[in-house]
Amino acid sequence: MRGGRAGSAPAVRLLADRSLRRHRRAWAAVFAAVALVSMLLGALGLAAGSLGLAQPLVERYAAADVVVAGDQEVRWTTKPWGSEPTTATTALTERVRVPARVAEALRGVPGVREVVPDDAFSVRDPHAVRAAHAVGDAYAVRDPRAVRADPVRESHAVPDPRAVRDSRAVRDPRAVRADPVRESHAVPDPRAVRDSRAVRDSHAVRGAEDPVRVYPGRPWAAAPLGGHGLVEGRGPGVDGEVVAGAGLGARVGEEVAGYRVVGVADGPAALYFGAAEARRLAGHPGRYDAIGVLGEPGVPVATLHARVRQALDEAGAGEFRAFTGDGRGGVEDLAALPARDGLLQLLAAVAASVAMVTVLVLASLVAQALQQRSPERELLDDLGASPRQVRAAAGREVVRVAGAAAALGALGAVPAFLALRAALHGPGMLPSSLELPVPPWLFAALLVTAGLTVGLARFVVVFAGAGRGRPGRAGRGRRSGGVRRGFGVLLLVAGVGSAGTATLQSGEAAGAAAGAATVTLVAGCALLGPWIAAAAMRVAGPALRRFGGAPGRLVAAGAVAHSRRLGAALVPAVLVTAFATVQLAAGATAERAAEAQARAAMVADYAIGGGDGPGRPGAATVTAAEVRRLPGVTAATGVLRSSVVLAHTEAGAPRLDRLPVLGVDPQGLAETLDPGVVAGNLAGLARPGTVAVGADRADSLDVRPGSAVELRLGDGTPRRLTVVAVYERSLALGEFLLPRAELAPHMTDPRPARVLVAGPGGAAVAGSVAHPELEPVVPDEAEASGLLSTGAVAAIGALTVLSVLSTLALIAAGRRDELTLLRQVGASGRQLRGMLRLEAAFLAVTGLLLGGAVAAIPLTAFAVSLTGGLPYLPPVQAALIAGTVVVTVYVGVMRAASAAR
């Protein structure tokens, strides 16, 4: 059979065809695993493609030809040693505003019909403040203990915008999408809609007969940018007049939020104000959220865009951007594109995990399928077949099986993707403006993922033992066994080293190192499976022989004779245990530590406002300064939520991390919030240009009180801040604490998300919550990321469980002759079933212990890095993992009894 490449092709095809027909049952296990992998990769590929195509909906600027806005990205370029300069980019979450001079520069551009500055803000019903003041006045003549906290925990009330001239209105332009239903007036940030009631329901305030409502506001001159115009009445003339969007359901002559409606415009729920009143309510005179440009009829958009771009450059405003088409949606909703990019990164990480687990699973299955044909391979070797021919025949078999399985899995990927897409569009996931498109050509990506799956299956044949000759030939067997053992030990050492690296990292870097350690350790156990199984049997063998009777002696003898087979059965159980334990315990450890820190950090008696956690609608109804004047209040702290960007290098490459942060009022902070200061003093936050840093971040940056930290604030403004304190509760409070005065000027909405109150006087404020809880500070896309992570754990867990069943099914198919011979020599059916039960118990216990040990190494490193303590796995989840392994192994092993019958 030996010959040239061309002459060997018919022989390879013949060997593959005959073997495939003869061993269909063995390849069925590989078929099932490949189909599941193809489905997972296909669904992830479709989700990534859809996310990559997604653009925020264009609503407010639908009729604008060009929209000029700030650059909502920050860039940092460094030159790693020995390579070209590299640039890192990340999105900004706070509005970069445009100065008024830019609008003047655009008015003389040829082809421009009109230049329309635009701002977005919120106007709240003044009745809330009257109710709050009434309760505050009553408090002065009543026992403060008699005033109970309102069961309504969140309120959106703010002062009358005409009566309180220094009040700050909500100015996030993302808050303009209202449900065109009369009852729906509260329009929070789309990221904040964790419950549909946040948009549809009004929020009652103690002492008020009517609910508090929040209305999106805009300049009346900007209504044409969305294609909206009057359908009744006239435009606003004086400060007390507004035009109401038809979505509000208001009529001419009615009063809304303290303003008289003089006109009704088509379009969504909104209030349109005169230019002067809109500038006052927006609160940033001389700057605009965006500038809409309307072109002359007949001027192509591309031509107009080029002229606007040139005008910006000539006016010295080249840092601002001009958007057309779908790009205008990103100006409306700042949260959409950062959320999209974050989920794309997570999808890539999940796909990489699936690919790594796939290699381990398929390598084990293919190796077992080929191992059962050792006598055939020996015969082919004796007949003159070259190792390359045998290996090529095995590869051809795998490709044919994997091709059909990958095609079936690709079909299953479509409903899996649609289910994932529907979940991402659920409440609290993606911003409401971000629609995931599904163009027909997107499904061509399934061809790529199916091909990748087949390639992975073909790849593992190289390492599965095909074509290595007869295992019984001593020299070759010893050499291959020595190499395998050496590689296995090397992987174990590398895994332990990676886990050690995790202890020196923090945050995402520690999690990545722990994940890499898990995969490496499991791969090492897979290579060392026969020796691990033999060692485990040497420990359990005496007990099995002494107490197990004839079945126990059969199990011990079989383990000695077939250690390779036992090792192959053990590896999937280790994989299931280790992977599931690491994935579940890592999240539980971080969550438990963050919650404990949050409980310890919150020392306030009352909280006023929507909450500190992500997605909490609304803001405080009053300022901290107003609350401090109430009788019985000893301290009040306003808490802002924003983000900063930290530039650093990782392995020589530039990296920009966008981190959620809190801004606080230093006055009375110690009586409302306890970050757990370990160095310095938070009183230093009263000085401008200061910051407090979490202990882990301080260690990674090598800073201490008195050191300087360079950050970019939420709108990209670079700041060099002096460290005044280092605190330990950074899992709950974020990596940095900044003074409110430092953070507020760089926020889209500088009102506090919450006001924390010490003293019984906090009960007097409408919407206050007694014994408040502090939710840990997490990124805005945390819920969508959690959904994807949970789905990934479930999907990869299903793949590993399938690998257990498939491997044991292959082993059972190969043991038919062995079990038949045992029955012929006198073993009863009861003894055989007892032997299999003991074998299942041995595999389950050993797999759980070894998998737990493998998981404990990276988990301990991760927990030490993150919390300084030990990892935590909820007992219910631990029981679920153990039960899954025991049931799966038992079912798989007992299939051998059915095969013998």
Side-chain angles (χ1 to χ4, degrees):
M1 295 180 66
R2 300 183 188 275
R5 182 179 298 271
S8 66
V12 169
R13 285 196 297 270
L14 178 63
L15 290 174
D17 292 343
R18 294 285 179 86
S19 179
L20 192 59
R21 285 195 298 268
R22 179 176 176 81
H23 300 286
R24 290 186 179 182
R25 182 170 296 182
W27 285 118
V30 178
F31 183 95
V34 171
L36 181 56
V37 169
S38 179
M39 185 188 74
L40 293 178
L41 291 180
L44 291 174
L46 291 175
S50 183
L51 270 171
L53 296 171
Q55 293 289 339
L57 296 176
V58 183
E59 297 175 353
R60 284 166 43 199
Y61 302 127
D65 297 300
V66 180
V67 176
V68 176
D71 187 357
Q72 292 295 146
E73 290 184 337
V74 62
R75 300 165 186 82
W76 184 49
T77 301
T78 62
K79 186 181 183 302
W81 185 84
S83 63
E84 295 297 321
T86 305
T87 300
T89 304
T90 192
L92 299 172
T93 57
E94 303 291 355
R95 176 73 63 185
V96 179
R97 293 192 169 91
V98 186
R101 63 179 178 84
V102 175
E104 297 301 323
L106 296 177
R107 287 195 167 95
V109 175
V112 171
R113 174 168 56 90
E114 190 174 0
V115 174
V116 184
D118 184 33
D119 287 307
F121 46 88
S122 291
V123 179
R124 278 170 283 176
D125 195 325
H127 186 73
V129 174
R130 291 197 297 269
H133 287 175
V135 175
D137 294 340
Y139 176 85
V141 297
R142 288 186 296 179
D143 185 349
R145 291 170 295 181
V147 182
R148 301 301 179 188
D150 192 340
V152 179
R153 301 167 84 84
E154 296 165 2
S155 175
H156 298 266
V158 295
D160 185 337
R162 296 177 298 172
V164 185
R165 294 300 176 182
D166 60 349
S167 65
R168 295 285 187 173
V170 178
R171 298 190 298 276
D172 191 345
R174 293 167 293 184
V176 300
R177 297 177 183 84
D179 190 342
V181 179
R182 182 172 178 85
E183 291 80 2
S184 175
H185 297 291
V187 186
D189 184 335
R191 297 175 299 173
V193 187
R194 295 304 189 244
D195 190 308
S196 59
R197 291 175 300 177
V199 175
R200 293 192 298 269
D201 294 348
S202 300
H203 297 266
V205 178
R206 177 172 54 249
E209 296 178 358
D210 298 325
V212 177
R213 293 169 178 170
V214 181
Y215 304 87
R218 294 181 66 200
W220 170 238
L225 296 179
H228 308 308
L230 282 172
V231 295
E232 182 183 359
R234 59 177 176 83
V238 297
D239 287 351
E241 297 178 346
V242 295
V243 170
L248 287 179
R251 299 178 180 178
V252 174
E254 292 183 351
E255 184 174 297
V256 178
Y259 292 86
R260 186 167 63 90
V261 177
V262 297
V264 176
D266 59 349
L271 292 178
Y272 296 96
F273 297 82
E277 183 72 356
R279 283 195 300 270
R280 186 189 65 78
L281 292 174
H284 44 82
R287 293 180 298 154
Y288 303 118
D289 286 354
I291 299 173
V293 179
L294 301 175
E296 296 284 356
V299 179
V301 173
T303 301
L304 186 63
H305 176 268
R307 293 173 181 174
V308 169
R309 181 70 268 167
Q310 181 180 358
L312 291 174
D313 294 337
E314 292 175 352
E319 69 273 20
F320 298 102
R321 300 182 63 184
F323 298 91
T324 61
D326 291 339
R328 297 168 296 173
V331 180
E332 297 185 22
D333 190 349
L334 299 183
L337 297 182
R340 182 195 68 180
D341 295 342
L343 289 182
L344 280 173
Q345 294 177 6
L346 181 59
L347 282 174
V350 170
S353 298
V354 171
M356 288 188 293
V357 173
T358 296
V359 170
L360 292 174
V361 169
L362 293 183
S364 176
L365 290 174
V366 172
Q368 188 59 35
L370 296 176
Q371 180 65 29
Q372 292 183 3
R373 278 174 280 168
S374 295
E376 297 177 21
R377 287 158 48 205
E378 293 174 12
L379 178 60
L380 290 172
D381 196 21
D382 289 336
L383 292 175
S386 67
R388 184 178 61 80
Q389 287 175 320
V390 175
R391 190 162 51 246
R396 191 180 182 89
E397 288 182 69
V398 170
V399 168
R400 290 178 62 178
V401 172
L408 180 63
L411 294 177
V414 175
F417 158 66
L418 294 177
L420 176 60
R421 179 177 179 271
L424 287 175
H425 277 309
M429 298 302 169
L430 287 175
S432 60
S433 67
L434 195 63
E435 292 287 338
L436 300 183
V438 190
W441 58 263
L442 180 63
F443 294 97
L446 295 175
L447 299 177
V448 177
T449 56
L452 176 62
T453 305
V454 174
L456 288 173
R458 179 65 180 85
F459 172 75
V460 300
V461 174
V462 179
F463 303 97
R468 294 180 185 169
R470 290 181 293 177
R473 295 180 180 178
R476 201 178 311 175
R478 282 193 296 269
R479 285 196 300 272
S480 63
V483 171
R484 176 173 177 166
R485 187 182 304 181
F487 271 112
V489 172
L490 182 63
L491 287 174
L492 291 182
V493 173
V496 173
S498 181
T501 302
T503 61
L504 305 177
Q505 305 289 334
S506 62
E508 294 182 2
T518 304
V519 174
T520 306
L521 289 170
V522 171
C525 291
L527 291 177
L528 296 175
W531 294 278
I532 292 175
M537 184 53 70
R538 279 196 292 272
V539 174
L544 287 173
R545 293 187 180 92
R546 182 173 182 179
F547 302 106
R553 290 191 291 273
L554 287 173
V555 171
V560 174
H562 302 286
S563 62
R564 183 182 292 270
R565 183 182 70 193
L566 196 63
L570 186 61
V571 168
V574 174
L575 178 61
V576 171
T577 305
F579 177 82
T581 301
V582 168
Q583 295 298 317
L584 296 177
T589 299
E591 183 177 352
R592 188 187 193 207
E595 290 176 351
Q597 290 186 9
R599 287 192 298 270
M602 178 61 81
V603 295
D605 298 310
Y606 294 89
I608 307 162
D612 304 291
R616 289 304 184 91
T621 58
V622 289
T623 66
E626 292 171 328
V627 174
R628 292 188 193 109
R629 292 195 293 266
L630 291 176
V633 172
T634 59
T637 301
V639 179
L640 306 182
R641 287 183 52 85
S642 185
S643 65
V644 297
V645 176
L646 175 67
H648 63 103
T649 58
E650 190 172 282
R655 181 180 175 92
L656 292 174
D657 290 337
R658 189 176 63 250
L659 306 171
V661 297
L662 296 181
V664 296
D665 287 325
Q667 183 178 351
L669 181 62
E671 299 181 58
T672 57
L673 204 62
D674 179 14
V677 175
V678 295
N681 194 323
L682 290 176
L685 291 177
R687 301 192 302 271
T690 56
V691 65
V693 186
D696 291 338
R697 183 64 67 176
D699 289 340
S700 66
L701 297 177
D702 192 23
V703 297
R704 57 191 58 84
S707 302
V709 173
E710 293 185 358
L711 298 174
R712 288 168 173 80
L713 301 181
D715 63 352
T717 303
R719 294 286 287 149
R720 184 177 178 85
L721 305 174
T722 301
V723 178
V724 296
V726 176
Y727 57 92
E728 61 182 356
R729 293 177 181 139
S730 57
L731 291 178
L733 301 176
E735 304 282 5
F736 299 97
L737 280 177
L738 285 82
R740 180 187 183 280
E742 189 73 43
L743 202 60
H746 305 278
M747 293 178 60
T748 303
D749 176 11
R751 294 175 306 109
R754 241 181 178 185
V755 174
L756 306 180
V757 184
V765 183
S768 62
V769 180
H771 310 297
E773 295 182 358
L774 178 72
E775 290 198 9
V777 175
V778 295
D780 295 309
E781 62 271 15
E783 289 201 25
S785 299
L787 171 68
L788 283 179
S789 299
T790 301
V793 170
I796 299 177
L799 176 61
T800 54
V801 168
L802 177 63
S803 74
V804 175
L805 291 172
S806 299
T807 301
L808 294 175
L810 280 172
I811 293 173
R815 297 183 68 180
R816 287 194 299 266
D817 295 341
E818 172 192 337
L819 296 177
T820 301
L821 179 60
L822 287 173
R823 291 184 67 91
Q824 290 175 351
V825 299
S828 66
R830 181 178 179 181
Q831 288 177 323
L832 291 181
R833 288 191 295 273
M835 177 192 74
L836 293 175
R837 291 190 185 97
L838 287 175
E839 189 172 307
F842 170 78
L843 288 173
V845 172
T846 305
L848 287 171
L849 292 176
L850 184 58
V854 167
I857 295 173
L859 276 177
T860 301
F862 174 75
V864 168
S865 170
L866 190 68
T867 69
L870 295 176
Y872 170 75
L873 181 64
V876 174
Q877 295 181 359
L880 179 63
I881 294 172
T884 301
V885 171
V886 169
V887 171
T888 305
V889 170
Y890 180 82
V891 171
V893 171
M894 294 307 294
R895 290 189 63 175
S898 301
R901 290 196 295 269

